[in-house]
Amino acid sequence: MKIVYLYSSLAVVGGVERILVDKMNYLVRECGEEVYIITSDQGMHRVPYQLDERVHFMDMNIRFHTQYQYDIVRRQWIRWRMNREYDTKLRKALAEIQPDIIVCMTAQHVRRLLRVKGHIPLVVESHVNFSHIDSRWHLLQNRMNNYWIGKAEAVVTLTEGDAKDWRRVSKHVHVIPNMVHLNESGKYSECVNKRAVFVGRLVEQKGLPELLKVWQLVHKKYPDWQLDIYGEGNMFNDQCSMFNVHIHPPVSNIFEKYMESSMLLLTSVYEPFGLVMPEAMSCGIPVVAFDSPHGPATIITDGEDGFLVKNRDCQVFADRVCQLIEDQELRQRMGRKAVQSSQRFTADKIMPQWKALFSSLTSKKPSPERKG
């Protein structure tokens, strides 16, 4: 089977990029599929994760982001020209590859893709909550994008909660959680270090003001506990050190940092999935998270492998953190359960679901004679 993935670029250290590379590697290594990745904006950027050499990489070198260096009037002309170039190059690439399946990782180009794909089944992956898109996009633009996404042969969401929303625009919604790169070292946290950890981009979505508010409440009772934050961004300042908060850049050995900690904190305003949760859980630490749409409740079983805090209540969140601080046996018991829970997201559990979806779509596809 020939599978084409479409994405803007594999250029940053991010969750979508990591998942996409892992899926493509699995398909060529474990399934023997012929996999292509076509990007529009890769340019000279290095792929941040190890991509199997058998995955065919094609970059159209459109560089859509460069349009924003022009004034708004000229930008319209530049965007039109870029879209024309995208259509031409994509149509040519698909004609050469003749794929059995196309998987689009973003909604940005679905409309143009529908015009050039012919009878090839299209799968659109949702990596942003539908409700979040609905609240941010201009109403007309939102309706137009939803209309075109609804014409894809399949829309894949990460959680049932998000799927419920997407079914408003598509009759072909499937739920397949992310496969997660888990700890395979055989070593786990003993949950004895006086450290909590937060991992993620330092942006508004991650609820960072509430994270600091929670930790200030915890610090009043347990000043000897520290919070280590790993991420990029500029939402924090030097005052964090007053509350035993330590800011670090992203690291490649994040599993080691999980195992040096006793719990993970997650304060996201919304979280389509939340890769850091099963990652940390596979290292043997419980998670305390706000019950934000829609990822945490899909991953955490409240009171067993972590705590879910409703209504974005910082005081209750801090109380749950303090409960874990005060009860080492509880931390360790939840940590052991977390390791077991994380195994739901291994490649061997998730990728057969993708294989089944691809097989069902190709069985319905017309079979035109291939060239050559």
Side-chain angles (χ1 to χ4, degrees), residues 137-180:
W137 286 6
H138 185 277
L139 180 60
L140 178 59
Q141 181 184 22
N142 182 36
R143 288 178 177 175
M144 289 177 62
N145 278 280
N146 287 346
Y147 173 78
W148 295 114
I149 292 172
K151 289 185 172 295
E153 280 73 15
V155 177
V156 176
T157 73
L158 301 174
T159 65
E160 184 57 45
D162 198 30
K164 182 179 179 180
D165 290 334
W166 278 105
R167 290 188 181 107
R168 290 153 52 185
V169 299
S170 173
K171 297 180 180 179
H172 310 288
V173 179
H174 306 260
V175 180
I176 303 179
N178 277 328
M179 60 175 282
V180 183

Side-chain angles (χ1 to χ4, degrees), residues 183 185 187-189 193 195 197 230 251-261 279 283 285:
N183 167 39
S185 68
K187 300 177 181 179
Y188 307 99
S189 171
N193 292 335
R195 300 176 64 180
V197 63
Y230 293 89
V251 294
S252 59
N253 61 333
I254 191 60
F255 287 111
E256 293 180 14
K257 304 306 178 184
Y258 290 138
M259 285 185 277
E260 294 170 359
S261 306
E279 280 183 356
C283 294
I285 62 176

Side-chain angles (χ1 to χ4, degrees), residues 13 30 70 86 90 96-97 106 146 155 167 177 206 208 218 261 264 273 281 298 303 323 328:
V13 178
E30 306 299 327
Y70 301 101
Y86 180 89
L90 181 59
E96 292 176 352
I97 298 170
T106 66
N146 287 346
V155 177
R167 290 188 181 107
K206 299 300 182 179
L208 299 174
V218 172
S261 306
L264 174 78
F273 186 77
M281 292 164 73
T298 301
Q323 183 179 351
Q328 177 177 308

Side-chain angles (χ1 to χ4, degrees), residues 317-368:
F317 196 115
D319 291 344
R320 292 291 177 263
V321 173
C322 290
Q323 183 179 351
L324 288 174
I325 289 175
E326 294 161 1
D327 191 338
Q328 177 177 308
E329 193 279 331
L330 175 64
R331 296 198 305 269
Q332 293 172 333
R333 184 174 70 249
M334 282 188 164
R336 290 192 296 270
K337 182 63 176 180
V339 173
Q340 299 174 15
S341 298
S342 68
Q343 302 308 304
R344 294 172 291 158
F345 306 107
T346 62
D348 290 342
K349 297 284 179 58
I350 301 301
M351 290 308 294
Q353 299 178 52
W354 279 105
K355 287 282 292 176
L357 175 60
F358 291 160
S359 296
S360 68
L361 293 174
T362 54
S363 67
K364 301 175 185 177
K365 187 187 73 168
S367 302

Side-chain angles (χ1 to χ4, degrees), residues 257-317:
K257 304 306 178 184
Y258 290 138
M259 285 185 277
E260 294 170 359
S261 306
S262 293
M263 68 185 79
L264 174 78
L265 309 185
L266 190 81
T267 51
S268 299
V269 177
Y270 66 91
E271 196 64 67
F273 186 77
L275 291 175
V276 297
M277 287 183 283
E279 280 183 356
M281 292 164 73
S282 74
C283 294
I285 62 176
V287 180
V288 183
F290 281 128
D291 189 13
S292 58
H294 287 284
T298 301
I299 298 170
I300 301 169
T301 302
D302 185 42
E304 293 189 16
D305 47 30
F307 289 118
L308 287 171
V309 180
K310 298 185 180 298
N311 303 320
R312 305 201 62 77
D313 191 323
C314 289
Q315 183 60 63
V316 173
F317 196 115

Side-chain angles (χ1 to χ4, degrees), residues 13-14 198-206 208 230-233 270:
V13 178
F198 170 94
V199 178
R201 292 171 293 122
L202 308 186
V203 296
E204 183 178 355
Q205 177 219 335
K206 299 300 182 179
L208 299 174
Y230 293 89
E232 290 182 325
Y270 66 91

Side-chain angles (χ1 to χ4, degrees), residues 2-22:
K2 291 184 178 182
I3 305 166
V4 166
Y5 283 90
L6 294 176
Y7 196 45
S8 55
S9 66
L10 291 173
V12 301
V13 178
V16 175
E17 289 77 9
R18 176 62 175 270
I19 290 299
L20 176 54
V21 168
D22 283 350

